[in-house]
Amino acid sequence: MFRSVLASLGLAAALITPVSAQEAPTETSEWRLVIHGGAGVILRENLSEEQEAAYRAGLEVALERGAAVLREGGSAVDAVQAAVIPMENNPLFNAGFGAVFTAAAEHELDASIMDGRDRNAGSVAGVRYTKNPILAARAVMDQSEHVMFAGKGADAFAAQVGLELVNNDFFDTDRRRRSLEKVLKSRERTDADRHGTVGAIAVDAEGNLAAATTTGGMTAKAAGRVGDTPLIGAATYAQNGVCAVSSTGHGEYFIRVAVAKTICAEMELAGASAKDAAQSALDQVAELGGDGGVIVMDADGHYEYVFNSAGMYRGMIDPNGFETAIFEAE
Ligand code: ASP
């Protein structure tokens, strides 16, 4: 599958072979990119072979776009941005086109990005017309003296810096409309399609870390509700020499645990491993009643996927190869 995706991108696939997390040697890797495409009730029996292949292909495109930046010596922050854009544009993922509907049958999108070099960050909350919210977050970081814009002002800022705007119904898809109808009918909190988010973390050839996260939020969310995704320290954090984190899950709980910063603080101050720090933050999320997952990378590029949901779309690429996974046991 990866080979065919690469071929369609006009790239040579022969050099790239899958590796497992355990086999990937961090010391020989000059750069590395890790992504997620959302966590939730993702069970093998609920995904057809075609659906699984489509998700894996979507992850592979994202990995390859980010890797193309890193291979050329580009920065981690450019790589995480490049990786999440194709997922924002892919209706399979709950970000950008194909984002979930609010209870008012509209779309309100959140995104954030952080550069570990100087802990500069940018985010937008509740944008309705910006085609690629991650580009708006990046523009906030690079082209304003602020960190976060919300609502009308965020879309206006995106327009001002020349980003592509679309009508709100550009983000509509039948699948998400069906999810909205189902959730409104049942108020089923664990519906497989209720949430999802995409994110990326990376270390570049110079050892810089970065993180990006972007989402449509949760199906049938109240108008104006903002989740963890645009909040630096909740869903996104990057600090050179310490960590990069991007999370996905039930945002209300991730905000209350300040998941991304909590993980980085445990690693920095208590010397915890990426895995232990992530597990401890997710345990706190679970104690409060939430579920979801994180991707975490330490200063050496060692990475972990940690989640307490039934599955998480995820993947990694570095000079030694790539991997993708969806279900819990893979
Ligand atoms: N964290 C997102 C939110 O609460 C949703 C998700 O990641 O599934 O808006």
Side-chain angles (χ1 to χ4, degrees), residues 36-42 94 100 110 189-199 213-219 221 225-230 234-236 245-256 259-260 281-282 285-286 289-295 306-313:
H36 69 79
V41 188
I42 309 164
N94 173 21
V100 299
D110 303 328
R189 289 170 67 99
T190 55
D191 176 59
D193 259 357
R194 183 142 194 234
H195 54 75
T197 281
V198 311
T213 314
T214 171
T215 193
M218 296 183 71
T219 300
K221 67 184 181 180
R225 176 265 188 188
V226 174
D228 58 320
T229 302
T236 303
V245 180
S246 173
S247 59
T248 172
H250 200 137
E252 280 68 12
Y253 300 95
F254 280 68
I255 293 171
R256 289 155 65 195
V259 165
L282 281 179
V285 167
D291 68 339
V294 293
I295 49 175
V306 182
F307 49 99
N308 63 9
S309 52
M312 181 164 82
Y313 300 104

Side-chain angles (χ1 to χ4, degrees), residues 61-85:
V61 170
L63 287 171
E64 183 45 43
R65 294 281 165 79
V69 172
L70 294 166
R71 227 177 257 131
E72 294 300 307
S75 67
V77 73
D78 284 345
V80 293
Q81 174 182 309
V84 298
I85 288 173

Side-chain angles (χ1 to χ4, degrees), residues 145-167:
E145 57 182 297
H146 307 297
V147 170
M148 186 169 190
F149 279 74
K152 274 187 193 160
D155 280 312
F157 178 76
Q160 192 191 318
V161 298
L163 295 182
E164 187 176 352
L165 300 190
V166 291
N167 290 326

Side-chain angles (χ1 to χ4, degrees), residues 95-292:
F97 175 52
V100 299
F101 283 89
T102 66
E106 293 180 332
H107 307 276
E108 296 180 5
L109 314 173
D110 303 328
S112 61
I113 191 163
M114 186 162 188
D115 188 337
R117 286 178 291 202
D118 50 6
R119 286 195 271 174
N120 203 359
S123 78
V124 290
V127 293
R128 295 162 52 87
Y129 306 109
T130 303
K131 179 169 176 263
N132 286 107
I134 198 65
L135 294 178
R138 179 68 187 269
V140 171
M141 178 169 90
D142 289 350
Q143 299 181 55
S144 86
E145 57 182 297
H146 307 297
V147 170
M148 186 169 190
F149 279 74
K152 274 187 193 160
D155 280 312
F157 178 76
Q160 192 191 318
V161 298
L163 295 182
E164 187 176 352
L165 300 190
V166 291
N167 290 326
N168 193 253
D169 63 9
F170 164 86
F171 301 107
D172 287 7
T173 52
D174 290 345
R175 169 188 168 201
R176 300 297 188 192
R177 196 178 288 282
R178 282 196 300 275
S179 294
L180 173 66
E181 283 158 9
K182 199 167 145 199
V183 173
L184 287 180
K185 223 187 269 168
S186 65
R187 279 280 155 199
E188 178 56 74
R189 289 170 67 99
T190 55
D191 176 59
D193 259 357
R194 183 142 194 234
H195 54 75
T197 281
V198 311
I201 54 177
V203 60
D204 63 29
E206 292 179 2
N208 301 307
L209 297 170
T213 314
T214 171
T215 193
M218 296 183 71
T219 300
K221 67 184 181 180
R225 176 265 188 188
V226 174
D228 58 320
T229 302
L231 298 179
I232 299 300
T236 303
Y237 208 77
Q239 180 176 357
N240 271 16
V242 180
C243 74
V245 180
S246 173
S247 59
T248 172
H250 200 137
E252 280 68 12
Y253 300 95
F254 280 68
I255 293 171
R256 289 155 65 195
V257 175
V259 165
K261 178 63 183 173
T262 294
I263 291 171
C264 291
E266 283 239 5
M267 291 168 68
E268 183 182 21
L269 306 175
S273 67
K275 186 174 191 168
D276 290 348
Q279 192 58 58
S280 135
L282 281 179
D283 287 349
Q284 293 181 55
V285 167
E287 265 165 40
L288 300 181
D291 68 339

